[in-house]
């Protein structure tokens, strides 16, 4: 099932990133000290009117798909992201998914084939500067937005689905869920935070579509 595979890849990525980080600390203590002193990743701005100076200069702190696992200390906090007044999920997620559902549902391999790096970085930069930015103004394909969304989701400081929750749900069959009116799944998700629950539900509805 695409949804289960997507969740599995998410969890595998975070597990590998955690192992890489631990190995890096073991091999190079000095490098660890340096990484801690580096400027933290700014979350998507708390307001959309003020524009604080960017400590990273012209480079986006979220850029570079292939180097994301080397900068595990640069993480996004879901709670610090601006939330949509309509859906209650982080605004950057809503903007990306709305764009993808409008322009990308007919694209084969939408989340499998990566977009062009310069277009992906452009999307990330714009959403970092202004999470409410209208992505249609960039004239980029949906594949670039899908890749940008995946990259930003990888930057979350913790996965939406914990390993405990994933292992608890992965063996449930659709027949079991229907027999019990999805009660097992509801109980599992009830232990997540309200923001995580809304975000998971929003993404699952998108993947189902």
């Amino acid at each position: 099932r695409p949804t289960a595979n997507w969740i599995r890849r998410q969890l595998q990525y975070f597990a590998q990133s955690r192992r890489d980080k631990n190995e890096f600390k073991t091999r190079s203590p000095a490098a660890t000290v340096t990484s801690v002193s580096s400027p933290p990743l700014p979350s998507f701005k708390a307001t959309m009117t003020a524009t604080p100076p960017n400590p990273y200069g012209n480079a986006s702190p979220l850029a570079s798909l292939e180097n994301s696992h080397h900068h595990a200390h640069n993480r996004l906090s879901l709670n610090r992201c601006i939330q949509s007044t309509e859906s209650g999920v982080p605004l950057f997620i809503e903007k990306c998914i709305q764009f993808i559902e409008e322009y990308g549902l007919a694209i084969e391999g939408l989340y499998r084939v990566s977009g062009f790096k310069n277009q992906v970085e452009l999307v990330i930069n714009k959403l970092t500067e202004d999470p409410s930015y209208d992505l249609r103004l960039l004239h980029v394909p949906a594949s670039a937005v899908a890749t940008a969304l995946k990259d930003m989701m990888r930057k979350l400081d913790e996965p939406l689905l914990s390993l405990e929750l994933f292992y608890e749900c992965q063996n449930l069959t659709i027949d079991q869920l229907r027999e019990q009116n999805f009660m097992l799944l509801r109980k599992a998700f009830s232990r997540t935070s309200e923001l995580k629950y809304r975000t998971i539900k929003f993404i699952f509805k998108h993947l189902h579509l």
Side-chain angles (χ1 to χ4, degrees):
R1 294 174 297 174
T3 300
N5 291 335
W6 180 82
I7 297 171
R8 189 173 294 108
R9 287 194 297 270
Q10 280 272 96
L11 294 169
Q12 289 172 347
Y13 170 81
F14 279 105
Q16 183 62 45
S17 177
R18 199 173 292 113
R19 286 194 296 270
D20 291 346
K21 184 178 181 181
N22 291 336
E23 291 176 2
F24 179 75
K25 286 182 178 179
T26 304
R27 292 196 304 267
S28 179
T32 304
V33 173
T34 304
S35 67
V36 171
S37 63
S38 62
L41 176 68
S43 63
F44 291 102
K45 296 186 302 179
T47 65
M48 288 181 284
T49 54
T51 307
N54 183 2
Y56 294 88
N58 295 326
S60 168
L62 296 178
S64 182
L65 268 170
E66 62 274 15
N67 292 326
S68 60
H69 67 283
H70 294 304
H71 302 282
H73 58 282
N74 287 339
R75 292 297 185 189
L76 284 172
S77 172
L78 197 70
N79 293 322
R80 295 178 62 189
C81 295
I82 295 178
Q83 298 177 24
S84 166
T85 56
E86 295 181 6
S87 63
V89 305
L91 194 54
F92 79 91
I93 295 178
E94 182 186 77
K95 285 293 182 180
C96 288
I97 287 179
Q98 286 178 345
F99 184 93
I100 292 167
E101 291 184 351
E102 184 174 358
Y103 298 104
L105 294 184
I107 298 177
E108 183 176 358
L110 177 63
Y111 282 104
R112 175 174 52 83
V113 181
S114 297
F116 290 109
K117 182 178 178 181
N118 61 331
Q119 294 176 338
V120 173
E121 291 181 346
L122 178 62
V123 173
I124 293 174
N125 288 339
K126 289 298 183 181
L127 289 177
T128 302
E129 295 169 2
D130 180 5
S132 65
Y133 187 82
D134 187 352
L135 296 177
R136 293 174 296 183
L137 300 177
L138 298 179
H139 302 290
V140 296
S143 58
V145 177
T147 304
L149 176 60
K150 289 193 299 181
D151 190 24
M152 289 184 284
M153 293 298 294
R154 291 189 185 105
K155 292 291 185 179
L156 291 177
D157 54 2
E158 58 183 47
L160 292 177
L161 293 176
S162 65
L163 286 172
E164 179 185 1
L165 181 60
F166 174 70
Y167 290 140
E168 185 174 338
C169 298
Q170 68 173 343
N171 294 322
L172 295 176
T173 66
I174 189 64
D175 291 334
Q176 288 175 324
L177 293 173
R178 285 173 175 166
E179 286 174 3
Q180 302 186 39
N181 195 26
F182 293 87
M183 190 56 64
L184 294 174
L185 204 58
R186 293 179 184 180
K187 286 183 178 179
F189 281 106
S190 67
R191 296 198 299 273
T192 65
S193 68
E194 183 66 25
L195 176 57
K196 279 190 175 183
Y197 177 80
R198 288 197 305 266
T199 306
I200 291 170
K201 183 177 179 180
F202 191 81
I203 293 175
F204 277 19
K205 288 176 68 176
H206 165 64
L207 294 177
H208 177 69
L209 177 65

